[in-house]
Amino acid sequence: MLPRFWRKIKYRYNLIGTKCENCGRTFYPPRNLCPECRRKSSIVEVELGDTGVVLSYSVVHDAPESMKLERPYIVGLIRLDSGVVVTSQIVCDPEDVRIGMRVRAAFRRYGEDGEDGIIYYGTKFVPVEE
Ligand SMILES: [Zn+2]
């Protein structure tokens, strides 16, 4: 279940996470509850920016058919310039990916729900041309 605000157009080019104001932890993907503070959670949305650097990655050759992913694909750990570390797919040639590579968020359409017409977007990262 995607948080409802992922569907809003205005957020498409800036990653939105949530921050617990009680303990200061930042979450991405967004959470409605801080696992540390639980009922004392004070959750606000925060912009995380859309650029970062690859900390590590792995090339995945075997994807479930249901994911409709091109194979092989790359999953990486990305440290955003805001300091938050996220896990995401990196869209580039597996031979070109490297640790320390600059990347930026790109939003790709994952699929469309036939019932209510909701289009789901997910974040992927692409190399930044330097
Ligand atoms: Zn907290």
Short mmCIF file of all heavy atoms in Angstrom, two decimals, residues 20-25 27 34-38 40-43, ligand 1:
data_model
loop_
_atom_site.label_atom_id
_atom_site.label_comp_id
_atom_site.label_asym_id
_atom_site.label_seq_id
_atom_site.Cartn_x
_atom_site.Cartn_y
_atom_site.Cartn_z
N CYS A 20 10.46 11.80 12.28
CA CYS A 20 9.84 11.80 13.60
C CYS A 20 10.44 12.94 14.40
O CYS A 20 11.64 12.96 14.67
CB CYS A 20 10.10 10.46 14.31
SG CYS A 20 9.53 10.47 16.02
N GLU A 21 9.62 13.91 14.73
CA GLU A 21 10.13 15.07 15.45
C GLU A 21 10.42 14.76 16.91
O GLU A 21 11.09 15.52 17.59
CB GLU A 21 9.14 16.24 15.34
CG GLU A 21 9.03 16.76 13.92
CD GLU A 21 8.37 18.13 13.85
OE1 GLU A 21 7.31 18.27 14.47
OE2 GLU A 21 8.92 19.01 13.17
N ASN A 22 9.94 13.62 17.37
CA ASN A 22 10.19 13.24 18.75
C ASN A 22 11.64 12.79 18.95
O ASN A 22 12.29 13.13 19.92
CB ASN A 22 9.22 12.14 19.17
CG ASN A 22 9.20 11.93 20.67
OD1 ASN A 22 9.12 12.89 21.42
ND2 ASN A 22 9.29 10.68 21.10
N CYS A 23 12.18 11.99 17.96
CA CYS A 23 13.55 11.47 18.12
C CYS A 23 14.48 11.91 16.99
O CYS A 23 15.67 11.67 17.04
CB CYS A 23 13.53 9.95 18.21
SG CYS A 23 13.02 9.13 16.69
N GLY A 24 13.92 12.54 15.95
CA GLY A 24 14.77 13.06 14.89
C GLY A 24 15.11 12.08 13.78
O GLY A 24 15.86 12.42 12.87
N ARG A 25 14.60 10.86 13.83
CA ARG A 25 14.91 9.88 12.78
C ARG A 25 14.12 10.20 11.51
O ARG A 25 12.98 10.62 11.57
CB ARG A 25 14.58 8.46 13.24
CG ARG A 25 15.51 7.97 14.32
CD ARG A 25 15.09 6.60 14.81
NE ARG A 25 15.31 5.57 13.78
CZ ARG A 25 14.91 4.30 13.93
NH1 ARG A 25 14.28 3.93 15.01
NH2 ARG A 25 15.15 3.43 12.98
N PHE A 27 12.78 8.71 7.75
CA PHE A 27 12.43 7.44 7.11
C PHE A 27 12.16 7.60 5.63
O PHE A 27 11.47 8.53 5.22
CB PHE A 27 11.18 6.83 7.77
CG PHE A 27 11.33 6.65 9.24
CD1 PHE A 27 10.77 7.56 10.13
CD2 PHE A 27 12.06 5.59 9.75
CE1 PHE A 27 10.92 7.42 11.49
CE2 PHE A 27 12.21 5.43 11.12
CZ PHE A 27 11.64 6.34 11.99
N CYS A 34 6.74 6.08 13.87
CA CYS A 34 8.14 5.83 14.19
C CYS A 34 8.23 4.56 15.03
O CYS A 34 7.56 4.45 16.06
CB CYS A 34 8.70 7.03 14.98
SG CYS A 34 10.35 6.74 15.62
N PRO A 35 9.04 3.57 14.59
CA PRO A 35 9.12 2.30 15.32
C PRO A 35 9.74 2.46 16.71
O PRO A 35 9.54 1.63 17.58
CB PRO A 35 9.97 1.41 14.42
CG PRO A 35 10.71 2.34 13.52
CD PRO A 35 9.87 3.58 13.38
N GLU A 36 10.50 3.53 16.90
CA GLU A 36 11.11 3.79 18.20
C GLU A 36 10.11 4.40 19.17
O GLU A 36 9.98 3.97 20.30
CB GLU A 36 12.31 4.74 18.05
CG GLU A 36 13.52 4.11 17.38
CD GLU A 36 14.14 3.02 18.25
OE1 GLU A 36 14.31 3.25 19.46
OE2 GLU A 36 14.46 1.94 17.70
N CYS A 37 9.43 5.44 18.67
CA CYS A 37 8.58 6.23 19.57
C CYS A 37 7.14 5.73 19.62
O CYS A 37 6.41 6.02 20.55
CB CYS A 37 8.59 7.69 19.14
SG CYS A 37 10.26 8.36 19.01
N ARG A 38 6.75 5.01 18.58
CA ARG A 38 5.40 4.47 18.50
C ARG A 38 4.32 5.51 18.80
O ARG A 38 4.15 6.45 18.06
CB ARG A 38 5.26 3.23 19.37
CG ARG A 38 6.16 2.11 18.89
CD ARG A 38 6.03 0.84 19.67
NE ARG A 38 6.86 -0.19 19.06
CZ ARG A 38 6.44 -0.94 18.03
NH1 ARG A 38 5.23 -0.81 17.56
NH2 ARG A 38 7.24 -1.84 17.49
N LYS A 40 4.25 7.88 20.76
CA LYS A 40 4.74 9.23 20.98
C LYS A 40 5.25 9.85 19.68
O LYS A 40 5.77 10.97 19.67
CB LYS A 40 5.88 9.23 22.02
CG LYS A 40 5.39 8.99 23.43
CD LYS A 40 6.43 9.39 24.49
CE LYS A 40 7.63 8.44 24.45
NZ LYS A 40 8.61 8.76 25.52
N SER A 41 5.14 9.11 18.55
CA SER A 41 5.63 9.59 17.27
C SER A 41 5.02 10.93 16.91
O SER A 41 3.84 11.18 17.17
CB SER A 41 5.26 8.61 16.15
OG SER A 41 5.82 7.35 16.37
N SER A 42 5.85 11.78 16.33
CA SER A 42 5.36 13.04 15.81
C SER A 42 5.89 13.13 14.38
O SER A 42 7.02 13.56 14.13
CB SER A 42 5.87 14.20 16.66
OG SER A 42 5.48 15.43 16.09
N ILE A 43 5.10 12.63 13.43
CA ILE A 43 5.57 12.43 12.05
C ILE A 43 5.24 13.63 11.17
O ILE A 43 4.10 14.08 11.12
CB ILE A 43 4.92 11.16 11.45
CG1 ILE A 43 5.27 9.92 12.28
CG2 ILE A 43 5.33 10.99 9.98
CD1 ILE A 43 6.72 9.53 12.26
ZN ZN B 1 10.75 8.68 16.87
#
